Amino acid sequence: MTFMMEEFDVVVVGGGPAGATAAHDLARQGRSVALLDKAGRIKPCGGAIPPRLIRDFEIPDHMLVAKVNAARMISPSNREVDMPIDGGFVGMVEREPFDEFLRVRAAESGATRLTGSFERIEHDADGVAIVAYTAKGATEETRIRARCIIGADGARSAVAKQSVKGAEKIPCVFAYHEIVEAPTTEAPKYDAKRCDVFYQGKLSPDFYAWIFPHGDKVSIGTGSANKGFSLRGSVTELRASTGLDKMRTIRREGAPIPLKPLKRWDNGRDVVLAGDAAGVVAPSSGEGIYYAMLCGRLAADAAAEFCATGRASALRTARKRFMKAHGRVFLILGIMQYFWYSSDKRREKFVAICQDKDVQRLTWEAYMNKELVRKDPLTHIKIFLKDMAHLVGLAGPRLDRTAATSRGDA
């Protein structure tokens, strides 16, 4: 008796936002697609999603556990700068139900869900890829054939390491957060409609710490590429200083987060990467959900074109299209992180700059719509001159007096 191996146009490895989006899009295009995911993994994440994501990926309102209408930036000297969102909001999601919603939607569109651990990629005598995985609860491997494979299995992607040269060297920051119960009574340091971002070297020497509302829960976290820095100790200190140490801890999570996109996302044959596996987390902000889902969509389009034409060059289009749309943003944010997060003195100036109403408006417009704001060139010039004043130390005293007056200290 001859055993016939199951075959798909595309096998997507990893069921996070990138992989689930890729599987959903491919299934809607009529492609046979398998979504292989390791169950039970929740990535540490602030959970913020912009209106552009909600609109482009048709996220229903019931998936939002909170709607944030402001951010508060806290400097090393505890200067607090509020950045209200004028007439809009940022959606907040809980990753466990959000990711499962995306996987269910992919299955409802026709994708085959498989639960198990990816092992490796092989090729048969005809050169067709074979994905080997161990199903949950099984002791023996299962093999399935695939014309194309999308690796969306995270920052330490096994698919990437096996298939794409240089993927094993991707630089990462390690993120850690604790999910706690939200305060049910008045808490002076917490607002259920505001994201708090702490730019303080004691809480992160090279990134930032955060307190993000999640409805009846709160995400309290930090990140750093400094291996000797205690992330858990930082979160403990942040909770104590804000009174959130009294709230019950629901769970703790940690994971590596990539710092920049890989130079290549495909193997020139039958594999293309997406999401954290491709390195698409925005520098400086650490934002990843929108970019992961867009990356998954572009990888799906590239895989579909490859299946239709047989041309491996089609796989390169995912990275080309992503970098054309967002490469400049990633470059600017990378420079910002390298410069402004390098010392508490510079962090102090960075938070001071955030007081400027023009800076706030352009920042929110760019974040909400995921596009660089090209209009209003005079405002950009004004902001540039203000930034230069901070860099050479000419703007500090005036802004310090402004902040003191707003706090009632003067």
Side-chain angles (χ1 to χ4, degrees):
M1 180 177 175
T2 303
F3 174 74
M4 296 298 293
M5 192 180 300
E6 194 169 10
E7 185 169 353
F8 296 89
D9 289 332
V10 183
V11 171
V12 181
V13 180
T21 299
H24 174 247
D25 283 12
L26 285 162
R28 290 183 67 182
Q29 294 177 39
R31 292 289 171 185
S32 61
V33 54
L35 177 60
L36 173 62
D37 184 57
K38 185 186 296 183
R41 181 74 177 96
I42 308 173
K43 177 185 172 183
C45 178
I49 61 173
R52 176 72 182 270
L53 183 154
I54 296 170
R55 181 175 66 250
D56 287 0
F57 297 95
E58 300 176 322
I59 304 303
D61 193 68
H62 71 81
M63 290 307 305
L64 306 181
V65 295
K67 293 181 179 179
V68 168
N69 56 25
R72 174 170 288 180
M73 327 294 271
I74 300 97
S75 77
S77 68
N78 288 319
R79 177 203 303 265
E80 296 179 352
V81 174
D82 286 344
M83 297 179 63
I85 302 173
D86 186 16
F89 69 90
V90 173
M92 306 300 294
V93 297
E94 266 284 326
R95 284 294 300 272
E96 185 174 17
F98 180 71
D99 290 10
E100 180 62 11
F101 162 78
L102 296 175
R103 291 188 288 265
V104 168
R105 186 165 69 172
E108 290 175 344
S109 296
T112 299
R113 287 188 66 175
L114 304 172
T115 303
S117 300
F118 168 81
E119 302 293 347
R120 63 189 169 278
I121 298 171
E122 304 169 346
H123 290 86
D124 64 16
D126 296 327
V128 178
I130 297 173
V131 176
Y133 73 96
T134 303
K136 183 179 181 180
T139 56
E140 296 184 358
E141 291 181 356
T142 299
R143 288 172 170 77
I144 50 178
R145 288 161 57 94
R147 299 175 62 190
C148 183
I149 299 159
I150 295 178
D153 50 334
R156 302 298 190 194
S157 167
V159 173
K161 289 178 182 178
Q162 291 184 27
S163 307
V164 179
K165 186 177 180 180
E168 73 283 354
K169 299 177 182 178
I170 187 169
C172 291
V173 58
F174 201 86
Y176 170 80
H177 79 160
E178 296 178 1
I179 296 291
V180 308
E181 289 183 340
T184 54
T185 57
E186 184 177 349
K189 293 290 186 178
Y190 176 74
D191 187 331
K193 290 186 176 294
R194 186 188 70 220
C195 288
D196 291 348
V197 187
F198 296 79
Y199 295 98
Q200 300 179 341
K202 65 181 181 179
L203 297 177
S204 173
D206 51 356
F207 201 55
Y208 64 79
W210 69 83
I211 296 177
F212 286 0
H214 283 198
D216 60 355
K217 303 181 185 69
V218 184
S219 166
I220 309 169
T222 189
S224 177
N226 187 334
K227 294 182 179 179
F229 184 75
S230 173
L231 299 177
R232 183 170 292 206
S234 172
V235 171
T236 298
E237 181 177 352
L238 180 55
R239 289 182 64 176
S241 66
T242 56
L244 294 173
D245 55 335
K246 301 177 178 64
M247 309 312 298
R248 183 177 71 88
T249 302
I250 297 171
R251 64 178 189 270
R252 298 178 172 89
E253 297 152 355
I257 309 295
L259 288 175
K260 63 180 180 180
L262 288 173
K263 293 182 178 180
R264 181 157 187 167
W265 294 2
D266 70 286
N267 68 345
R269 181 177 183 177
D270 51 16
V271 173
V272 62
L273 306 178
D276 281 11
V280 292
V281 174
S284 181
S285 68
E287 182 190 1
I289 301 177
Y290 170 77
Y291 295 113
M293 294 180 72
L294 174 62
C295 190
R297 175 156 289 173
L298 296 177
D301 290 343
E305 184 180 344
F306 168 70
C307 289
T309 66
R311 293 195 300 267
S313 60
L315 300 176
R316 293 187 220 138
T317 63
R319 188 183 190 280
K320 287 181 179 178
R321 292 177 63 194
F322 184 92
M323 297 305 291
K324 182 178 180 180
H326 298 287
R328 187 180 174 198
V329 172
F330 274 52
L331 175 63
I332 292 170
L333 291 176
I335 294 171
M336 284 179 58
Q337 179 174 339
Y338 177 79
F339 183 83
W340 290 115
Y341 296 4
S342 61
S343 70
D344 271 354
K345 182 178 180 180
R346 289 182 176 178
R347 292 185 188 97
E348 196 71 40
K349 291 182 177 181
F350 174 71
V351 172
I353 289 171
C354 293
Q355 290 181 137
D356 188 277
K357 297 303 180 184
D358 290 324
V359 170
Q360 293 183 12
R361 177 173 59 83
L362 293 180
T363 296
W364 282 126
E365 286 182 12
Y367 173 80
M368 306 279 270
N369 300 304
K370 286 292 165 278
E371 293 176 354
L372 286 175
V373 181
R374 302 182 188 279
K375 62 182 179 180
D376 201 358
L378 291 178
T379 298
H380 284 278
I381 293 171
K382 184 169 68 172
I383 290 172
F384 172 76
L385 293 175
K386 289 178 181 178
D387 286 353
M388 292 303 296
H390 276 280
L391 292 179
V392 298
L394 297 178
R398 181 183 64 80
L399 283 170
D400 285 344
R401 287 196 299 272
T402 301
T405 301
S406 68
R407 295 194 306 262
D409 297 338

